[in-house]
Amino acid sequence: MNSTDKIFTLPQLQQQVSAWRSQGKRIVFTNGCFDLLHLGHVDYLEKARRLGDKLVLGLNTDASISRIKGPTRPLQDEVSRARIMASLLFVDAVVLFDQNTPLELIEAVQPDILVKGDDYTVENIVGHEVVLARGGEVKTVPLVKGYSTTSIVKKIEKQLNS
């Protein structure tokens, strides 16, 4: 399988999720920017995938990242980020979304399990009401401390300026 085979448009993803459901698979959903892949991301996504059978990753577009994080981000374009994330064996599907939050995507996918890192509370996870209303679960998983794209960027900037 090529990494590009795991990158879906929303209509394609909805068909794939339907096929997985017909096979009795539990769909896990998470989202993020994933601008620079690091150990924290890998650990988080492995833990998320273990909660169900298929892991769907909602990936912010370049435009949405710039709106959220400022004009210097993202560091990598959305095509590169999507391919990198799709190359991970524990990620089953990647879909881009352009909104500031993944709410519309969560409403469309209707995951069985919604996951974020433990820097969130269940009540603060966008889409938790949607998932809980249909009998799904909303979970947090422990994050590896000390890893973030922002901290990596700051470390690089500090090294360049010294």
Side-chain angles (χ1 to χ4, degrees), residues 61-86:
T61 61
D62 293 349
S64 69
I65 293 174
S66 290
R67 287 192 306 269
I68 296 164
K69 296 190 178 266
T72 62
R73 299 282 293 276
L75 303 170
Q76 298 188 84
D77 65 87
E78 62 196 45
V79 172
S80 300
R81 291 181 294 108
R83 286 283 305 275
I84 290 166
M85 300 314 292

Side-chain angles (χ1 to χ4, degrees), residues 103-119:
L103 182 59
E104 289 178 34
L105 186 53
I106 292 165
E107 290 171 338
V109 173
Q110 293 288 314
D112 301 297
I113 303 163
L114 177 60
V115 183
K116 289 297 278 182
D118 64 359
D119 53 339

Side-chain angles (χ1 to χ4, degrees), residues 126-158:
V126 170
H128 74 274
E129 306 98 335
V130 173
V131 174
L132 293 174
R134 65 177 298 271
E137 301 173 70
V138 180
K139 299 185 177 237
T140 61
V141 296
L143 295 176
V144 178
K145 302 299 179 215
Y147 288 90
S148 75
T149 300
T150 300
S151 67
I152 292 169
V153 169
K154 286 180 181 175
K155 183 176 180 180
I156 291 168
E157 288 172 342
K158 184 178 176 184

Side-chain angles (χ1 to χ4, degrees), residues 3-63:
S3 60
T4 54
D5 296 336
K6 294 182 354 183
I7 301 170
F8 295 85
T9 63
L10 182 55
Q12 292 169 334
L13 178 63
Q14 287 174 305
Q15 286 182 349
Q16 182 62 66
V17 166
S18 179
W20 286 333
R21 281 216 171 89
S22 71
Q23 299 165 5
K25 305 294 185 193
R26 287 174 42 95
I27 310 303
V28 179
F29 178 91
T30 194
N31 67 281
C33 300
F34 300 97
D35 204 359
L36 288 178
L37 185 62
H38 54 69
L39 175 64
H41 290 143
V42 171
D43 185 79
Y44 166 71
L45 292 169
E46 281 180 328
K47 289 173 183 168
R49 174 60 166 74
R50 285 196 299 260
L51 296 173
D53 301 306
K54 297 291 180 179
L55 178 60
V56 174
L57 176 71
L59 189 66
N60 291 78
T61 61
D62 293 349

